[in-house]
Amino acid sequence: MIKLNIRQKIFITILASLFSLAILLGWIIWDSLTNMMREDLINRGNNIAVHISETSSDYILFDDNYAVHQLITETYELNEDVRYIMVLDSNSAVYEHTFSDSLPKGIISAHSDYNENTSNAKTISSDEGAIQDIIVPIEDSEVGYVRVGMSEKQANQYIFSKMTELLIVTLIVALFATGVAYFISRRITSPIQRLVDVASGISAGDLSLRVKSIKNDEVGELASTFNAMADNLINSNNQIDTLLKQLQEKEKLRSKLILQLLSVQEDERRRISRELHDETSQALTSLMVTMRVLANEAKDEEQQQLLFTSRDIAADILRQIRDLAVDLRPPILDNMGVVSAIKKYIKDFKEKYDVDVSFYTSVTEITDLDENVALAIYRIVQESLNNVIKHTEATRIKVGLILEDNNIKLTVSDNGQGIKEADFMKAQAQNRIGIHGMKERVEVQNGSFTILTNQLGGTKIIVSLPLIQKGRLS
Ligand SMILES: Nc1ncnc2c1ncn2[C@@H]1O[C@H](COP(=O)(O)OP(=O)(O)OP(=O)(O)O)[C@@H](O)[C@H]1O
Ligand SMILES: [Mg+2]
């Protein structure tokens, strides 16, 4: 379908209305003119016929053919519209006529039924167009009849010339109307067009645009409402900008706080680990040495056995404390690096839980890795492996660590039953922070954290962290 704009629609509507009006008027004029001309023709025909009827009755009574002939010929010649005149006797036989040759075929029977109660005119069609045939009796039909044929040819020519004039005038008016229609449609649509232009400009981002000086009508009202709307848009935008800035600042602060919290937590863990290793372990070792000396010196066997058992318990506690110290802050992470630390952790984990954990890495070690990034990776491996043991019946775990486009990509997949939405929500309601903590650690380092369901239906954690070298953390 053709798409028209408002201007074209108004233009076409005005022109269509004008043309419909012209056609309607033309038809009315043509119709009334035709009727008028026909009536006039019949009247004139009637007058002629009456005149001949009155004049010719005596001639006919005295059988003066010549006088009748003279009368009708003269009348015929004087009136252009008269196509023929016939005088008939009382038996409807032709007495005289004006046809130069014989009578046209069928003319007598075409109008023979004279009745004083009905119209005495009848339309006969001929090869020259319609003819109004008027019949008038002579002396109340006792002497005969006069028939006068009035041709519509001239009347039609007159109507045709008048209609041609009307058509020319209509065309001139239509031409003028086209100009007026164009002008009116322009006047109506140009303020709307201005509005459209400004609206497109604003939607393209230029909020300073306004619609200028539009008249005090509905479009003017629309324009001022539109301008007010644009002002409001700027205000709202400013408010959104301010809110966004505040939000960004808060987000920055939150990230900073989380980072600080994590670093404080790690410092604390390191301190406790060192304390456990340096102080508690040393004290326990001295205790064990003392116990052994005491046990060796004990006279009573029962007492000695008791001391040996106590020493074994102390040795057990020492082992647990050392494990705890390592768990809190594995020295290997600081000494050798994240890859070695993960390897060691997985080795111990496999022994402890008797589960199949495979580790794939594309590098032997990542040297000079930023401490926070290294810690994040190590803690995520720890938390994910513990989650598998804690929450699933998984028998296989796959850990992968690769370097890709200056990013460290860590994946941990298991063949367990996957994270159930309801369980996850429940854990959140209980303030469990394992997964949340992993996510935060990654996000403060500008990394990405994703949890998926893997092909086996188990869980897959994908972490990507920027490869930041030591001392280059912003
Ligand atoms: N590998 C996994 N397979 C299936 N479900 C898991 C897995 N990891 C986590 N979940 C589910 O997601 C929940 C949230 O885990 P999240 O680590 O946040 O908390 P948690 O392990 O329950 O407690 P927290 O880690 O704080 O000691 C868990 O309670 C568990 O239902
Ligand atoms: Mg957990």
Side-chain angles (χ1 to χ4, degrees):
M1 224 180 98
I2 306 166
K3 233 181 129 193
L4 298 173
N5 61 31
I6 294 184
R7 182 178 298 178
Q8 287 162 334
K9 281 180 194 162
I10 294 174
F11 187 65
I12 289 173
T13 310
I14 294 176
L15 276 190
S17 312
L18 278 170
F19 272 110
S20 315
L21 193 71
I23 289 169
L24 195 70
L25 278 177
W27 184 77
I28 291 170
I29 291 170
W30 179 78
D31 191 51
S32 45
L33 215 57
T34 311
N35 286 336
M36 237 167 63
M37 294 299 287
R38 185 166 293 153
E39 231 171 85
D40 180 62
L41 202 68
I42 291 170
N43 272 342
R44 279 194 290 124
N46 206 41
N47 289 343
I48 292 168
V50 168
H51 168 72
I52 290 173
S53 151
E54 283 167 358
T55 318
S56 64
S57 84
D58 285 350
Y59 298 155
I60 296 168
L61 283 174
F62 289 103
D63 210 10
D64 190 348
N65 286 35
Y66 181 73
V68 174
H69 185 76
Q70 273 298 106
L71 175 69
I72 60 173
T73 312
E74 265 170 31
T75 315
Y76 170 74
E77 279 166 4
L78 281 174
N79 293 282
E80 267 186 60
D81 290 337
V82 176
R83 178 67 189 84
Y84 59 83
I85 301 172
M86 288 190 289
V87 176
L88 313 171
D89 64 18
S90 52
N91 297 322
S92 293
V94 178
Y95 189 79
E96 271 305 328
H97 64 80
T98 54
F99 292 107
S100 47
D101 300 325
S102 55
L103 289 174
K105 227 174 146 191
I107 189 138
I108 300 297
S109 55
H111 195 191
S112 53
D113 47 346
Y114 171 72
N115 183 340
E116 57 184 302
N117 298 322
T118 57
S119 162
N120 63 341
K122 191 172 183 184
T123 309
I124 300 175
S125 55
S126 78
D127 45 6
E128 290 172 20
I131 287 175
Q132 294 300 328
D133 188 280
I134 295 122
I135 186 162
V136 166
I138 308 170
E139 300 291 346
D140 290 338
S141 312
E142 280 174 18
V143 176
Y145 302 96
V146 177
R147 275 179 61 189
V148 177
M150 301 294 286
S151 169
E152 285 191 358
K153 199 173 161 190
Q154 269 206 329
N156 283 343
Q157 270 170 0
Y158 175 77
I159 293 171
F160 182 75
S161 76
K162 284 292 154 202
M163 288 313 287
T164 312
E165 271 172 35
L166 187 77
L167 189 74
I168 292 167
V169 172
T170 307
L171 278 178
I172 293 167
V173 170
L175 214 66
F176 176 70
T178 309
V180 172
Y182 180 76
F183 178 72
I184 293 175
S185 62
R186 246 187 96 88
R187 256 185 91 84
I188 295 175
T189 58
S190 68
I192 300 173
Q193 188 57 47
R194 256 186 287 162
L195 254 167
V196 170
D197 291 345
V198 171
S200 326
I202 287 181
S203 83
D206 188 354
L207 294 185
S208 64
L209 290 178
R210 291 293 177 277
V211 190
K212 279 179 217 135
S213 64
I214 284 186
K215 288 201 191 88
N216 206 8
D217 53 12
E218 287 89 339
V219 183
E221 236 171 78
L222 179 67
S224 49
T225 315
F226 184 84
N227 285 346
M229 198 183 74
D231 289 342
N232 284 341
L233 205 64
I234 288 189
N235 283 345
S236 320
N237 261 15
N238 288 344
Q239 278 172 6
I240 291 172
D241 275 353
T242 320
L243 281 176
L244 203 69
K245 263 188 210 131
Q246 283 173 357
L247 204 70
Q248 278 165 347
E249 259 157 41
K250 278 199 177 135
E251 185 56 32
K252 246 192 231 164
L253 196 70
R254 197 181 73 98
S255 299
K256 216 168 138 184
L257 281 175
I258 289 172
L259 205 58
Q260 264 175 13
L261 194 77
L262 290 174
S263 97
V264 166
Q265 190 192 47
E266 288 299 338
D267 285 350
E268 194 61 8
R269 280 181 176 179
R270 199 200 317 244
R271 197 185 61 76
I272 296 171
S273 169
R274 203 178 300 126
E275 199 114 308
L276 284 174
H277 181 266
D278 296 351
E279 306 292 330
T280 321
S281 300
Q282 293 309 320
L284 267 174
T285 312
S286 324
L287 186 70
M288 279 165 62
V289 172
T290 316
M291 275 177 168
R292 204 183 57 207
V293 173
L294 281 175
N296 287 340
E297 284 174 6
K299 299 282 181 277
D300 181 48
E301 197 166 321
E302 207 177 321
Q303 225 176 31
Q304 191 182 43
Q305 202 49 52
L306 210 65
L307 280 164
F308 274 135
T309 311
S310 304
R311 197 208 60 169
D312 286 349
I313 292 171
D316 226 30
I317 293 173
L318 179 65
R319 228 182 347 267
Q320 280 179 25
I321 283 179
R322 281 208 173 125
D323 283 352
L324 188 64
V326 167
D327 211 35
L328 279 169
R329 181 72 188 199
I332 190 169
L333 187 64
D334 297 317
N335 302 338
M336 296 182 71
V338 71
V339 178
S340 312
I342 292 175
K343 273 185 190 158
K344 169 88 173 58
Y345 184 78
I346 289 176
K347 188 173 162 281
D348 294 346
F349 191 85
K350 271 159 74 173
E351 278 168 15
K352 193 168 168 188
Y353 297 109
D354 191 24
V355 59
D356 174 16
V357 187
S358 65
F359 179 48
Y360 168 78
T361 176
S362 63
V363 281
T364 358
E365 190 49 84
I366 308 167
T367 47
D368 287 340
L369 183 64
D370 175 78
E371 193 187 59
N372 289 316
V373 179
L375 261 173
I377 292 172
Y378 184 78
R379 294 295 183 211
I380 290 168
V381 171
Q382 258 186 328
E383 173 61 22
S384 338
L385 292 189
N386 279 315
N387 270 355
V388 178
I389 291 299
K390 250 163 72 182
H391 305 298
T392 72
E393 301 288 309
T395 51
R396 282 182 57 205
I397 307 173
K398 277 203 249 175
V399 181
L401 186 82
I402 54 170
L403 292 189
E404 200 180 72
D405 307 329
N406 243 10
N407 282 306
I408 306 170
K409 198 170 164 197
L410 169 73
T411 50
V412 182
S413 324
D414 64 61
N415 64 346
Q417 72 276 18
I419 300 181
K420 302 274 174 302
E421 174 86 20
D423 292 344
F424 185 74
M425 300 309 265
K426 203 169 124 194
Q428 276 207 324
Q430 288 169 353
N431 289 334
R432 304 290 187 161
I433 52 148
I435 290 175
H436 191 69
M438 290 198 264
K439 203 163 167 271
E440 288 295 339
R441 273 184 190 274
V442 173
E443 279 173 5
V444 291
Q445 307 288 345
N446 295 323
S448 68
F449 179 86
T450 322
I451 299 184
L452 304 171
T453 304
N454 62 31
Q455 299 98 314
L456 301 171
T459 308
K460 182 171 188 176
I461 289 174
I462 306 169
V463 169
S464 177
L465 279 163
L467 180 64
I468 305 169
Q469 303 297 132
K470 246 179 206 157
R472 288 193 43 205
L473 186 66
S474 54

